[in-house]
Amino acid sequence: MKNFSVSKKLFFTFTTITAIFIIAVSMGLFSIFSIMQNFTAFHDTSYVSVKQAIGIRRDLHELEKGLLLAITSDTSSDEQKYEQTANDAATQVGEEIAVLDTLVPENAEQLDALHQKIEQGAPVRQQILDLMKNNKKDEALKVYREQYAPLAQEMRDLSSAIESDVSSRADAAYSASLTASTIGFIVAVAASAVALAVTILLCIYIV
């Protein structure tokens, strides 16, 4: 190559630098795209799963609290308000379980067990509400303590187990996303460094 004319040297250098620049930019864009994909997947799956699992635990608490407050309230307006709170919470839990069913098939068995417990508790809740409407609050409280409270504890245990599993997988997914972003950044920097080094060498070669 030392015998190349100046024009050939310039052409070779320009072509090489252009090719290296294109490769470096492509690698950088690929790294950025991979990072975006990883964090999008994390948000759409892991983040939403954790949010729904936390929501189940919260709404189960609201369901139980609403039912107990309805039993112990002194006015019919409060009874209706807390009954509505309990009903809304039960509906919300069902929706959250449905969302998790599609996102975390690994927990399908636990989610199905939780759904069955909620279905099992529905007629007990209705029995309690019927007793309340007939001004039999002592009997309603007895049914709550003897029949619904044990079911509620099982629901809480299942909910906690599901939340723990989902959170563990979310933490692992987040760590993997961070690792991928770090690797992508290193690759982009390395490609840029190589492109700069080759450019300097070719400039020296021309001179």
Side-chain angles (χ1 to χ4, degrees):
M1 293 184 182
K2 291 182 179 180
N3 297 325
F4 282 5
S5 64
V6 174
S7 61
K8 287 185 177 180
K9 287 182 178 181
L10 287 173
F11 176 78
F12 174 76
T13 301
F14 176 77
T15 303
T16 304
I17 290 174
T18 301
I20 292 173
F21 174 77
I22 292 173
I23 292 172
V25 170
S26 299
M27 292 179 70
L29 291 175
F30 177 76
S31 298
I32 293 172
F33 178 73
S34 297
I35 292 170
M36 290 175 62
Q37 273 194 320
N38 284 326
F39 279 101
T40 298
F42 170 79
H43 178 272
D44 293 346
T45 302
S46 299
Y47 171 76
V48 175
S49 298
V50 171
K51 184 178 178 181
Q52 296 298 315
I54 292 173
I56 288 175
R57 176 169 53 82
R58 179 194 64 235
D59 290 321
L60 283 175
H61 174 74
E62 286 296 313
L63 169 58
E64 194 172 354
K65 183 178 74 173
L67 191 59
L68 192 56
L69 286 173
I71 296 171
T72 57
S73 61
D74 296 325
T75 64
S76 59
S77 60
D78 283 343
E79 285 181 11
Q80 292 174 1
K81 180 177 70 173
Y82 293 128
E83 179 183 345
Q84 187 61 49
T85 297
N87 290 335
D88 290 345
T91 300
Q92 191 66 30
V93 169
E95 294 174 356
E96 288 158 345
I97 290 175
V99 172
L100 277 182
D101 260 332
T102 63
L103 294 176
V104 286
E106 302 91 340
N107 294 100
E109 186 174 342
Q110 290 172 308
L111 288 167
D112 184 58
L114 178 57
H115 180 72
Q116 289 180 14
K117 291 297 178 183
I118 293 172
E119 290 295 312
Q120 188 178 346
V124 181
R125 289 199 310 273
Q126 189 57 52
Q127 181 184 358
I128 292 171
L129 294 174
D130 290 341
L131 288 169
M132 284 168 43
K133 290 173 183 177
N134 291 321
N135 294 319
K136 298 179 179 179
K137 291 196 171 186
D138 290 339
E139 293 181 35
L141 188 58
K142 183 180 179 182
V143 171
Y144 175 87
R145 289 172 176 170
E146 294 180 357
Q147 298 184 42
Y148 191 79
L151 280 173
Q153 182 61 55
E154 292 179 31
M155 293 178 205
R156 288 197 299 273
D157 292 342
L158 283 167
S159 173
S160 296
I162 292 168
E163 184 180 346
S164 178
D165 287 348
V166 170
S167 296
S168 296
R169 283 196 296 272
D171 289 341
Y174 183 72
S175 297
S177 297
L178 285 179
T179 300
S181 66
T182 301
I183 293 173
F185 176 76
I186 292 172
V187 169
V189 170
S192 299
V194 171
L196 179 62
V198 172
T199 300
I200 293 172
L201 289 174
L202 289 174
C203 289
I204 294 173
Y205 164 73
I206 293 175
V207 176

